[in-house]
């Protein structure tokens, strides 16, 4: 059985139609990611812990470069 995914975009999506970003969907132990401009082309999924570490690193880098 396949699970229906609830895709959501970042609140930081850029102007216009807001489709210049990625979308994520939460699975039980993984996070799926797809290109919002080409949603039918497929998705990647990562273990939840790896995705969380990736996002935390991005946040830390952003905070470091904006100071």
């Amino acid at each position: 059985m396949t699970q229906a995914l609830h895709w959501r975009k970042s609140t930081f999506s850029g102007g216009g139609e807001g489709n210049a970003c990625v979308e994520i969907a939460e699975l039980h132990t993984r996070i799926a990611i797809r290109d919002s401009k080409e949603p039918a082309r497929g998705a990647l999924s990562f273990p939840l812990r790896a995705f969380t570490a990736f996002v935390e690193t991005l946040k830390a880098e952003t905070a470091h470069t904006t100071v």
Side-chain angles (χ1 to χ4, degrees), residues 18-33:
N19 62 356
C21 66
V22 296
E23 297 174 314
I24 66 166
E26 296 179 33
L27 304 165
H28 183 65
T29 60
R30 301 181 72 79
I31 297 290
I33 303 172

Side-chain angles (χ1 to χ4, degrees), residues 24-65:
I24 66 166
E26 296 179 33
L27 304 165
H28 183 65
T29 60
R30 301 181 72 79
I31 297 290
I33 303 172
R34 70 181 183 185
D35 183 345
S36 63
K37 295 180 300 302
E38 300 283 346
R41 293 195 68 174
L44 300 172
S45 72
F46 299 93
L48 183 57
R49 293 175 104 182
F51 183 76
T52 300
F54 172 70
V55 170
E56 292 303 318
T57 300
L58 288 177
K59 287 179 182 178
E61 289 294 322
T62 300
H64 178 70
T65 59

